[in-house]
């Protein structure tokens, strides 16, 4: 037999679930394994993660959790294709709504493109990692002048310097990423998307590395200056932790 996936116990005669999983992957590196066990500690999770286990469910089994884990495996390609078809428009709408609510202005976008090459930053970039069934990241890049004007408009006064600018760019990016992921999760709860904290980079000679062949890029035209939105997701064998 060549199954698509295997449910694996941890306690087995003369071996254990991790050793058996390793042997299975030696035979078929693409096989998907869901470990189902009463045992679940940090060392076991770390070892299972290293073996690219597709799921780890603790006994007693919750039926919905098990079915969800199996569905992710069976429908992974279809779910990923649907994500790629819809995600960029959703994040663009989240950006447009976010700036409109915070500044009462309207933005427009250039034509979407895909680009795997490194690009030069305009001066300040905010990066947010996206965790879930398919890992990804969202980046908003703009010049210092654009960030300064944006900050002053949001506060309704002249901004007080770099700390306020960083806080505004971080919060705006966090709102855009969070709202976009919430919409995607409502469309398909198996995605389980959540955010890592925003990270800000600024200065001269900054470059934005490629976000993968499935990453989208668009220029954003605002009253404060031009920005760039980057969003990309990738497939991963490590989707459960």
């Amino acid at each position: 037999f060549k199954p698509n996936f295997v449910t694996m116990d941890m306690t087995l005669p003369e071996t254990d679930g991790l050793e058996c999983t390793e042997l299975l992957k030696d035979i078929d590196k693409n096989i998907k394994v869901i470990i189902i066990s009463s045992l679940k500690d940090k060392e076991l999770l770390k070892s299972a993660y290293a073996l690219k286990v597709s799921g780890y469910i603790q006994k007693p089994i919750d039926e919905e959790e098990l079915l969800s884990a199996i569905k992710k495996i069976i429908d992974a390609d279809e779910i990923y294709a649907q994500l790629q078809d819809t995600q960029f428009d959703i994040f663009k709408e989240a950006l447009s709504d976010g700036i409109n609510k915070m500044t009462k202005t309207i933005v427009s976008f250039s034509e979407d493109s895909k680009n795997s090459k490194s690009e030069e930053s305009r001066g300040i970039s905010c990066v947010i990692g996206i965790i879930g069934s398919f890992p990804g990241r969202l980046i908003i890049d703009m010049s210092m002048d654009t960030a300064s004007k944006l900050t002053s408009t949001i506060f309704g006064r002249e901004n007080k310097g770099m700390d306020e600018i960083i806080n505004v760019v971080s919060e705006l990016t966090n709102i855009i990423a969070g709202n976009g992921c919430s919409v995607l999760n409502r469309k398909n709860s198996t995605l389980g998307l959540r955010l890592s904290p925003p990270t800000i980079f600024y200065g001269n000679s900054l470059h934005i590395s490629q976000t993968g062949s499935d990453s989208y890029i668009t220029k954003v035209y605002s009253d404060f200056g031009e920005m760039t939105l980057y969003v990309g997701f990738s497939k991963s064998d490590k989707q459960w932790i």
Side-chain angles (χ1 to χ4, degrees), residues 88-102:
F88 201 51
D89 285 338
I90 287 170
F91 284 111
K92 284 166 61 178
E93 185 175 348
L95 186 153
S96 182
D97 287 347
I99 291 181
N100 179 258
K101 288 177 181 177
M102 296 175 80

Side-chain angles (χ1 to χ4, degrees), residues 6-24 26 35 37 39 44 51:
V6 172
T7 55
M8 178 73 67
D9 201 349
M10 279 298 298
T11 306
L12 300 170
E14 300 180 10
T15 184
D16 61 48
L18 296 177
E19 184 179 6
C20 194
T21 297
E22 189 171 9
L23 291 171
L24 283 175
D26 286 341
I35 290 180
S37 175
L39 304 170
L44 284 175
L51 288 171

Side-chain angles (χ1 to χ4, degrees), residues 117-148:
K117 296 179 181 178
S118 173
E119 293 204 357
E120 188 173 350
S121 168
R122 290 185 171 86
I124 181 167
S125 290
C126 186
V127 183
I128 291 188
I130 302 173
I131 306 161
S133 295
F134 302 103
R137 68 175 181 175
L138 179 146
I139 303 172
I140 293 179
D141 182 79
M142 66 187 77
S143 69
M144 287 292 187
D145 183 60
T146 296
S148 179

Side-chain angles (χ1 to χ4, degrees), residues 84 87 113-115 210-217 231-233:
Q84 288 299 98
Q87 55 94 356
S113 64
K114 288 187 177 183
N115 188 356
Q210 64 179 3
T211 53
S213 59
D214 289 334
S215 299
Y216 290 88
I217 303 170
V231 185
F233 288 88

